[in-house]
Amino acid sequence: MTKRYWLMKSEPEEFSIDALAKVKVEPWSGVRNYQARNYMRDGMRVGDGILFYHSNCPEPGVVGLAEVASLAHPDPTQFDPRSDYHDPASRPEEPRWLLVDVRFKRKLARTITLDELKAQADELGDFALIRRGNRLSVLPVTRAQWDFILALE
DNA sequence: GCCAACGTTGGC
DNA sequence: GCCAACGTTGGC
């Protein structure tokens, strides 16, 4: 089966690439967007490549590599009333939100910044990350984009 | 099913 | 902290 590639955003103040390096595997809780959920549920398979992206920070960009470590399964935080991600409308017998486990691979030698990626828009082709107004936190990356971005490292 | 109001994301 | 973009909610 062909390996697929993804980009996943995280705010470094919430959960950084260094935090992932420390714990090794992290359940990617808190995704509350249907399109992002559908990518995890319908698209992701164990072993797929992940570009780890820092958002909402001084230098937004790709900072590391990870891989999909599990198929999608229910996100327990949706049922936890004390969690920021609690969703009272979701029922355990029919969970609305899913997550995958994400395994650390390596940190990049440097940050491939959003600015750089925007500057290379022609070479990257259609890429959800640099589309105007993009807010998706989980998005697909083509093999060509993956190779191109890593060649910038 | 439309759409105004509202909430969130995320770059700057 | 501002605000553009966009998703969701809920009244009608």
PDB file of all heavy atoms in Angstrom, chain A residues 131-135, chain B residues 6-10, chain C residues 3-7:
ATOM      1  N   ARG A 131      -3.079  28.222   0.760  1.00  0.00           N
ATOM      2  CA  ARG A 131      -4.279  28.814   0.155  1.00  0.00           C
ATOM      3  C   ARG A 131      -4.773  29.940   1.045  1.00  0.00           C
ATOM      4  O   ARG A 131      -4.691  29.869   2.258  1.00  0.00           O
ATOM      5  CB  ARG A 131      -5.388  27.762   0.038  1.00  0.00           C
ATOM      6  CG  ARG A 131      -5.424  27.103  -1.333  1.00  0.00           C
ATOM      7  CD  ARG A 131      -6.567  26.111  -1.411  1.00  0.00           C
ATOM      8  NE  ARG A 131      -6.106  24.838  -1.936  1.00  0.00           N
ATOM      9  CZ  ARG A 131      -6.584  23.653  -1.580  1.00  0.00           C
ATOM     10  NH1 ARG A 131      -7.525  23.566  -0.667  1.00  0.00           N
ATOM     11  NH2 ARG A 131      -6.107  22.558  -2.113  1.00  0.00           N
ATOM     12  N   ARG A 132      -5.344  30.931   0.414  1.00  0.00           N
ATOM     13  CA  ARG A 132      -5.828  32.085   1.141  1.00  0.00           C
ATOM     14  C   ARG A 132      -6.864  31.670   2.185  1.00  0.00           C
ATOM     15  O   ARG A 132      -7.791  30.907   1.906  1.00  0.00           O
ATOM     16  CB  ARG A 132      -6.465  33.079   0.167  1.00  0.00           C
ATOM     17  CG  ARG A 132      -6.657  34.459   0.709  1.00  0.00           C
ATOM     18  CD  ARG A 132      -7.284  35.346  -0.342  1.00  0.00           C
ATOM     19  NE  ARG A 132      -8.661  34.939  -0.626  1.00  0.00           N
ATOM     20  CZ  ARG A 132      -9.730  35.688  -0.377  1.00  0.00           C
ATOM     21  NH1 ARG A 132      -9.557  36.892   0.124  1.00  0.00           N
ATOM     22  NH2 ARG A 132     -10.929  35.272  -0.656  1.00  0.00           N
ATOM     23  N   GLY A 133      -6.696  32.185   3.381  1.00  0.00           N
ATOM     24  CA  GLY A 133      -7.689  31.947   4.423  1.00  0.00           C
ATOM     25  C   GLY A 133      -7.718  30.548   4.987  1.00  0.00           C
ATOM     26  O   GLY A 133      -8.630  30.199   5.714  1.00  0.00           O
ATOM     27  N   ASN A 134      -6.693  29.760   4.658  1.00  0.00           N
ATOM     28  CA  ASN A 134      -6.677  28.374   5.117  1.00  0.00           C
ATOM     29  C   ASN A 134      -6.619  28.275   6.647  1.00  0.00           C
ATOM     30  O   ASN A 134      -5.847  28.941   7.297  1.00  0.00           O
ATOM     31  CB  ASN A 134      -5.472  27.648   4.547  1.00  0.00           C
ATOM     32  CG  ASN A 134      -5.173  26.393   5.325  1.00  0.00           C
ATOM     33  OD1 ASN A 134      -5.968  25.462   5.330  1.00  0.00           O
ATOM     34  ND2 ASN A 134      -4.064  26.382   6.018  1.00  0.00           N
ATOM     35  N   ARG A 135      -7.474  27.388   7.196  1.00  0.00           N
ATOM     36  CA  ARG A 135      -7.457  27.209   8.645  1.00  0.00           C
ATOM     37  C   ARG A 135      -7.438  25.737   9.022  1.00  0.00           C
ATOM     38  O   ARG A 135      -7.502  25.422  10.206  1.00  0.00           O
ATOM     39  CB  ARG A 135      -8.690  27.861   9.272  1.00  0.00           C
ATOM     40  CG  ARG A 135      -8.659  29.357   9.153  1.00  0.00           C
ATOM     41  CD  ARG A 135      -9.861  30.014   9.792  1.00  0.00           C
ATOM     42  NE  ARG A 135     -10.851  29.052  10.255  1.00  0.00           N
ATOM     43  CZ  ARG A 135     -12.054  29.384  10.681  1.00  0.00           C
ATOM     44  NH1 ARG A 135     -12.424  30.618  10.677  1.00  0.00           N
ATOM     45  NH2 ARG A 135     -12.877  28.482  11.097  1.00  0.00           N
TER      46      ARG A 135
ATOM     47  P    DC B   6     -24.461  38.398  17.976  1.00  0.00           P
ATOM     48  OP1  DC B   6     -25.199  38.547  19.237  1.00  0.00           O
ATOM     49  OP2  DC B   6     -23.705  39.523  17.388  1.00  0.00           O
ATOM     50  O5'  DC B   6     -23.470  37.171  18.140  1.00  0.00           O
ATOM     51  C5'  DC B   6     -24.014  35.862  18.284  1.00  0.00           C
ATOM     52  C4'  DC B   6     -22.919  34.849  18.071  1.00  0.00           C
ATOM     53  O4'  DC B   6     -22.644  34.712  16.656  1.00  0.00           O
ATOM     54  C3'  DC B   6     -21.588  35.214  18.728  1.00  0.00           C
ATOM     55  O3'  DC B   6     -21.280  34.219  19.677  1.00  0.00           O
ATOM     56  C2'  DC B   6     -20.594  35.265  17.568  1.00  0.00           C
ATOM     57  C1'  DC B   6     -21.273  34.391  16.526  1.00  0.00           C
ATOM     58  N1   DC B   6     -20.873  34.669  15.132  1.00  0.00           N
ATOM     59  C2   DC B   6     -20.426  33.600  14.345  1.00  0.00           C
ATOM     60  O2   DC B   6     -20.372  32.476  14.835  1.00  0.00           O
ATOM     61  N3   DC B   6     -20.048  33.842  13.065  1.00  0.00           N
ATOM     62  C4   DC B   6     -20.123  35.069  12.569  1.00  0.00           C
ATOM     63  N4   DC B   6     -19.746  35.244  11.306  1.00  0.00           N
ATOM     64  C5   DC B   6     -20.567  36.165  13.351  1.00  0.00           C
ATOM     65  C6   DC B   6     -20.928  35.924  14.616  1.00  0.00           C
ATOM     66  P    DG B   7     -20.016  34.334  20.637  1.00  0.00           P
ATOM     67  OP1  DG B   7     -20.453  33.884  21.966  1.00  0.00           O
ATOM     68  OP2  DG B   7     -19.367  35.642  20.444  1.00  0.00           O
ATOM     69  O5'  DG B   7     -19.061  33.224  20.039  1.00  0.00           O
ATOM     70  C5'  DG B   7     -19.558  31.909  19.825  1.00  0.00           C
ATOM     71  C4'  DG B   7     -18.458  31.066  19.213  1.00  0.00           C
ATOM     72  O4'  DG B   7     -18.312  31.422  17.811  1.00  0.00           O
ATOM     73  C3'  DG B   7     -17.082  31.282  19.857  1.00  0.00           C
ATOM     74  O3'  DG B   7     -16.478  30.003  20.010  1.00  0.00           O
ATOM     75  C2'  DG B   7     -16.347  32.171  18.860  1.00  0.00           C
ATOM     76  C1'  DG B   7     -16.973  31.759  17.530  1.00  0.00           C
ATOM     77  N9   DG B   7     -16.999  32.819  16.534  1.00  0.00           N
ATOM     78  C8   DG B   7     -17.411  34.109  16.723  1.00  0.00           C
ATOM     79  N7   DG B   7     -17.334  34.836  15.639  1.00  0.00           N
ATOM     80  C5   DG B   7     -16.851  33.968  14.681  1.00  0.00           C
ATOM     81  C6   DG B   7     -16.559  34.177  13.310  1.00  0.00           C
ATOM     82  O6   DG B   7     -16.684  35.211  12.647  1.00  0.00           O
ATOM     83  N1   DG B   7     -16.079  33.024  12.695  1.00  0.00           N
ATOM     84  C2   DG B   7     -15.900  31.820  13.319  1.00  0.00           C
ATOM     85  N2   DG B   7     -15.434  30.820  12.585  1.00  0.00           N
ATOM     86  N3   DG B   7     -16.174  31.608  14.613  1.00  0.00           N
ATOM     87  C4   DG B   7     -16.641  32.720  15.223  1.00  0.00           C
ATOM     88  P    DT B   8     -14.997  29.891  20.610  1.00  0.00           P
ATOM     89  OP1  DT B   8     -14.982  28.660  21.422  1.00  0.00           O
ATOM     90  OP2  DT B   8     -14.573  31.195  21.172  1.00  0.00           O
ATOM     91  O5'  DT B   8     -14.132  29.629  19.293  1.00  0.00           O
ATOM     92  C5'  DT B   8     -14.509  28.579  18.421  1.00  0.00           C
ATOM     93  C4'  DT B   8     -13.496  28.489  17.300  1.00  0.00           C
ATOM     94  O4'  DT B   8     -13.672  29.615  16.402  1.00  0.00           O
ATOM     95  C3'  DT B   8     -12.033  28.541  17.754  1.00  0.00           C
ATOM     96  O3'  DT B   8     -11.386  27.491  17.069  1.00  0.00           O
ATOM     97  C2'  DT B   8     -11.553  29.930  17.336  1.00  0.00           C
ATOM     98  C1'  DT B   8     -12.424  30.207  16.118  1.00  0.00           C
ATOM     99  N1   DT B   8     -12.708  31.623  15.793  1.00  0.00           N
ATOM    100  C2   DT B   8     -12.537  32.035  14.490  1.00  0.00           C
ATOM    101  O2   DT B   8     -12.137  31.305  13.607  1.00  0.00           O
ATOM    102  N3   DT B   8     -12.859  33.349  14.250  1.00  0.00           N
ATOM    103  C4   DT B   8     -13.332  34.263  15.165  1.00  0.00           C
ATOM    104  O4   DT B   8     -13.585  35.399  14.829  1.00  0.00           O
ATOM    105  C5   DT B   8     -13.487  33.768  16.517  1.00  0.00           C
ATOM    106  C7   DT B   8     -13.979  34.682  17.582  1.00  0.00           C
ATOM    107  C6   DT B   8     -13.174  32.477  16.764  1.00  0.00           C
ATOM    108  P    DT B   9      -9.869  27.101  17.412  1.00  0.00           P
ATOM    109  OP1  DT B   9      -9.868  25.631  17.506  1.00  0.00           O
ATOM    110  OP2  DT B   9      -9.370  27.954  18.499  1.00  0.00           O
ATOM    111  O5'  DT B   9      -9.092  27.524  16.091  1.00  0.00           O
ATOM    112  C5'  DT B   9      -9.595  27.153  14.831  1.00  0.00           C
ATOM    113  C4'  DT B   9      -8.801  27.883  13.776  1.00  0.00           C
ATOM    114  O4'  DT B   9      -9.208  29.263  13.735  1.00  0.00           O
ATOM    115  C3'  DT B   9      -7.286  27.894  14.013  1.00  0.00           C
ATOM    116  O3'  DT B   9      -6.718  27.404  12.829  1.00  0.00           O
ATOM    117  C2'  DT B   9      -6.952  29.359  14.306  1.00  0.00           C
ATOM    118  C1'  DT B   9      -8.080  30.093  13.609  1.00  0.00           C
ATOM    119  N1   DT B   9      -8.508  31.401  14.137  1.00  0.00           N
ATOM    120  C2   DT B   9      -8.741  32.427  13.241  1.00  0.00           C
ATOM    121  O2   DT B   9      -8.552  32.306  12.047  1.00  0.00           O
ATOM    122  N3   DT B   9      -9.198  33.588  13.809  1.00  0.00           N
ATOM    123  C4   DT B   9      -9.455  33.825  15.144  1.00  0.00           C
ATOM    124  O4   DT B   9      -9.873  34.902  15.521  1.00  0.00           O
ATOM    125  C5   DT B   9      -9.201  32.715  16.024  1.00  0.00           C
ATOM    126  C7   DT B   9      -9.426  32.877  17.488  1.00  0.00           C
ATOM    127  C6   DT B   9      -8.750  31.569  15.492  1.00  0.00           C
ATOM    128  P    DG B  10      -5.228  26.919  12.782  1.00  0.00           P
ATOM    129  OP1  DG B  10      -5.074  26.017  11.628  1.00  0.00           O
ATOM    130  OP2  DG B  10      -4.837  26.487  14.136  1.00  0.00           O
ATOM    131  O5'  DG B  10      -4.442  28.261  12.458  1.00  0.00           O
ATOM    132  C5'  DG B  10      -4.618  28.864  11.186  1.00  0.00           C
ATOM    133  C4'  DG B  10      -3.948  30.206  11.230  1.00  0.00           C
ATOM    134  O4'  DG B  10      -4.728  31.126  12.012  1.00  0.00           O
ATOM    135  C3'  DG B  10      -2.554  30.189  11.880  1.00  0.00           C
ATOM    136  O3'  DG B  10      -1.710  30.968  11.084  1.00  0.00           O
ATOM    137  C2'  DG B  10      -2.785  30.864  13.228  1.00  0.00           C
ATOM    138  C1'  DG B  10      -3.848  31.870  12.814  1.00  0.00           C
ATOM    139  N9   DG B  10      -4.573  32.502  13.893  1.00  0.00           N
ATOM    140  C8   DG B  10      -4.739  32.061  15.173  1.00  0.00           C
ATOM    141  N7   DG B  10      -5.428  32.882  15.920  1.00  0.00           N
ATOM    142  C5   DG B  10      -5.740  33.922  15.065  1.00  0.00           C
ATOM    143  C6   DG B  10      -6.466  35.121  15.301  1.00  0.00           C
ATOM    144  O6   DG B  10      -7.001  35.490  16.330  1.00  0.00           O
ATOM    145  N1   DG B  10      -6.540  35.930  14.170  1.00  0.00           N
ATOM    146  C2   DG B  10      -5.978  35.614  12.952  1.00  0.00           C
ATOM    147  N2   DG B  10      -6.150  36.504  11.962  1.00  0.00           N
ATOM    148  N3   DG B  10      -5.295  34.486  12.720  1.00  0.00           N
ATOM    149  C4   DG B  10      -5.212  33.706  13.817  1.00  0.00           C
TER     150       DG B  10
ATOM    151  P    DC C   3      -8.731  46.026  14.081  1.00  0.00           P
ATOM    152  OP1  DC C   3      -8.519  47.267  13.329  1.00  0.00           O
ATOM    153  OP2  DC C   3      -9.834  45.885  15.052  1.00  0.00           O
ATOM    154  O5'  DC C   3      -8.853  44.823  13.044  1.00  0.00           O
ATOM    155  C5'  DC C   3      -7.819  44.599  12.096  1.00  0.00           C
ATOM    156  C4'  DC C   3      -8.095  43.297  11.393  1.00  0.00           C
ATOM    157  O4'  DC C   3      -7.729  42.188  12.260  1.00  0.00           O
ATOM    158  C3'  DC C   3      -9.568  43.084  11.062  1.00  0.00           C
ATOM    159  O3'  DC C   3      -9.678  42.418   9.822  1.00  0.00           O
ATOM    160  C2'  DC C   3     -10.035  42.136  12.154  1.00  0.00           C
ATOM    161  C1'  DC C   3      -8.792  41.260  12.258  1.00  0.00           C
ATOM    162  N1   DC C   3      -8.719  40.419  13.470  1.00  0.00           N
ATOM    163  C2   DC C   3      -8.004  39.221  13.399  1.00  0.00           C
ATOM    164  O2   DC C   3      -7.454  38.915  12.344  1.00  0.00           O
ATOM    165  N3   DC C   3      -7.942  38.427  14.487  1.00  0.00           N
ATOM    166  C4   DC C   3      -8.553  38.811  15.616  1.00  0.00           C
ATOM    167  N4   DC C   3      -8.465  38.002  16.666  1.00  0.00           N
ATOM    168  C5   DC C   3      -9.292  40.023  15.706  1.00  0.00           C
ATOM    169  C6   DC C   3      -9.347  40.799  14.619  1.00  0.00           C
ATOM    170  P    DA C   4     -10.411  43.121   8.622  1.00  0.00           P
ATOM    171  OP1  DA C   4      -9.752  44.415   8.369  1.00  0.00           O
ATOM    172  OP2  DA C   4     -11.849  43.030   8.908  1.00  0.00           O
ATOM    173  O5'  DA C   4     -10.079  42.151   7.407  1.00  0.00           O
ATOM    174  C5'  DA C   4      -8.726  41.818   7.109  1.00  0.00           C
ATOM    175  C4'  DA C   4      -8.645  40.384   6.676  1.00  0.00           C
ATOM    176  O4'  DA C   4      -8.637  39.514   7.837  1.00  0.00           O
ATOM    177  C3'  DA C   4      -9.810  39.920   5.808  1.00  0.00           C
ATOM    178  O3'  DA C   4      -9.266  39.053   4.829  1.00  0.00           O
ATOM    179  C2'  DA C   4     -10.719  39.180   6.791  1.00  0.00           C
ATOM    180  C1'  DA C   4      -9.720  38.592   7.772  1.00  0.00           C
ATOM    181  N9   DA C   4     -10.176  38.434   9.149  1.00  0.00           N
ATOM    182  C8   DA C   4     -10.973  39.278   9.875  1.00  0.00           C
ATOM    183  N7   DA C   4     -11.180  38.880  11.112  1.00  0.00           N
ATOM    184  C5   DA C   4     -10.478  37.702  11.213  1.00  0.00           C
ATOM    185  C6   DA C   4     -10.290  36.789  12.267  1.00  0.00           C
ATOM    186  N6   DA C   4     -10.827  36.938  13.473  1.00  0.00           N
ATOM    187  N1   DA C   4      -9.537  35.701  12.025  1.00  0.00           N
ATOM    188  C2   DA C   4      -8.980  35.558  10.814  1.00  0.00           C
ATOM    189  N3   DA C   4      -9.076  36.348   9.744  1.00  0.00           N
ATOM    190  C4   DA C   4      -9.847  37.412  10.015  1.00  0.00           C
ATOM    191  P    DA C   5     -10.139  38.444   3.701  1.00  0.00           P
ATOM    192  OP1  DA C   5      -9.275  38.356   2.513  1.00  0.00           O
ATOM    193  OP2  DA C   5     -11.438  39.149   3.669  1.00  0.00           O
ATOM    194  O5'  DA C   5     -10.410  36.976   4.240  1.00  0.00           O
ATOM    195  C5'  DA C   5      -9.326  36.090   4.392  1.00  0.00           C
ATOM    196  C4'  DA C   5      -9.834  34.822   5.009  1.00  0.00           C
ATOM    197  O4'  DA C   5     -10.250  35.088   6.359  1.00  0.00           O
ATOM    198  C3'  DA C   5     -11.059  34.223   4.295  1.00  0.00           C
ATOM    199  O3'  DA C   5     -10.716  32.900   3.935  1.00  0.00           O
ATOM    200  C2'  DA C   5     -12.182  34.302   5.331  1.00  0.00           C
ATOM    201  C1'  DA C   5     -11.415  34.338   6.640  1.00  0.00           C
ATOM    202  N9   DA C   5     -12.077  35.016   7.741  1.00  0.00           N
ATOM    203  C8   DA C   5     -12.713  36.231   7.725  1.00  0.00           C
ATOM    204  N7   DA C   5     -13.197  36.596   8.892  1.00  0.00           N
ATOM    205  C5   DA C   5     -12.856  35.554   9.731  1.00  0.00           C
ATOM    206  C6   DA C   5     -13.074  35.333  11.108  1.00  0.00           C
ATOM    207  N6   DA C   5     -13.717  36.179  11.899  1.00  0.00           N
ATOM    208  N1   DA C   5     -12.600  34.182  11.639  1.00  0.00           N
ATOM    209  C2   DA C   5     -11.943  33.326  10.838  1.00  0.00           C
ATOM    210  N3   DA C   5     -11.672  33.420   9.534  1.00  0.00           N
ATOM    211  C4   DA C   5     -12.162  34.578   9.041  1.00  0.00           C
ATOM    212  P    DC C   6     -11.628  32.060   2.983  1.00  0.00           P
ATOM    213  OP1  DC C   6     -10.719  31.151   2.251  1.00  0.00           O
ATOM    214  OP2  DC C   6     -12.566  32.931   2.281  1.00  0.00           O
ATOM    215  O5'  DC C   6     -12.425  31.165   4.026  1.00  0.00           O
ATOM    216  C5'  DC C   6     -11.680  30.397   4.968  1.00  0.00           C
ATOM    217  C4'  DC C   6     -12.598  29.957   6.065  1.00  0.00           C
ATOM    218  O4'  DC C   6     -12.959  31.071   6.905  1.00  0.00           O
ATOM    219  C3'  DC C   6     -13.934  29.375   5.571  1.00  0.00           C
ATOM    220  O3'  DC C   6     -14.080  28.124   6.175  1.00  0.00           O
ATOM    221  C2'  DC C   6     -14.958  30.362   6.084  1.00  0.00           C
ATOM    222  C1'  DC C   6     -14.269  30.838   7.350  1.00  0.00           C
ATOM    223  N1   DC C   6     -14.836  32.064   7.944  1.00  0.00           N
ATOM    224  C2   DC C   6     -14.997  32.109   9.337  1.00  0.00           C
ATOM    225  O2   DC C   6     -14.631  31.137  10.006  1.00  0.00           O
ATOM    226  N3   DC C   6     -15.535  33.206   9.908  1.00  0.00           N
ATOM    227  C4   DC C   6     -15.900  34.237   9.145  1.00  0.00           C
ATOM    228  N4   DC C   6     -16.425  35.301   9.754  1.00  0.00           N
ATOM    229  C5   DC C   6     -15.747  34.223   7.724  1.00  0.00           C
ATOM    230  C6   DC C   6     -15.210  33.120   7.170  1.00  0.00           C
ATOM    231  P    DG C   7     -14.972  26.977   5.541  1.00  0.00           P
ATOM    232  OP1  DG C   7     -14.065  26.018   4.897  1.00  0.00           O
ATOM    233  OP2  DG C   7     -16.106  27.552   4.803  1.00  0.00           O
ATOM    234  O5'  DG C   7     -15.509  26.319   6.879  1.00  0.00           O
ATOM    235  C5'  DG C   7     -14.597  26.059   7.943  1.00  0.00           C
ATOM    236  C4'  DG C   7     -15.379  25.861   9.215  1.00  0.00           C
ATOM    237  O4'  DG C   7     -15.749  27.139   9.768  1.00  0.00           O
ATOM    238  C3'  DG C   7     -16.674  25.087   9.029  1.00  0.00           C
ATOM    239  O3'  DG C   7     -16.812  24.168  10.104  1.00  0.00           O
ATOM    240  C2'  DG C   7     -17.751  26.165   9.042  1.00  0.00           C
ATOM    241  C1'  DG C   7     -17.138  27.223   9.947  1.00  0.00           C
ATOM    242  N9   DG C   7     -17.538  28.585   9.599  1.00  0.00           N
ATOM    243  C8   DG C   7     -17.464  29.176   8.368  1.00  0.00           C
ATOM    244  N7   DG C   7     -17.894  30.409   8.361  1.00  0.00           N
ATOM    245  C5   DG C   7     -18.263  30.647   9.676  1.00  0.00           C
ATOM    246  C6   DG C   7     -18.795  31.811  10.290  1.00  0.00           C
ATOM    247  O6   DG C   7     -19.047  32.897   9.772  1.00  0.00           O
ATOM    248  N1   DG C   7     -19.026  31.619  11.655  1.00  0.00           N
ATOM    249  C2   DG C   7     -18.775  30.453  12.332  1.00  0.00           C
ATOM    250  N2   DG C   7     -19.062  30.451  13.628  1.00  0.00           N
ATOM    251  N3   DG C   7     -18.275  29.358  11.775  1.00  0.00           N
ATOM    252  C4   DG C   7     -18.046  29.530  10.454  1.00  0.00           C
TER     253       DG C   7
END
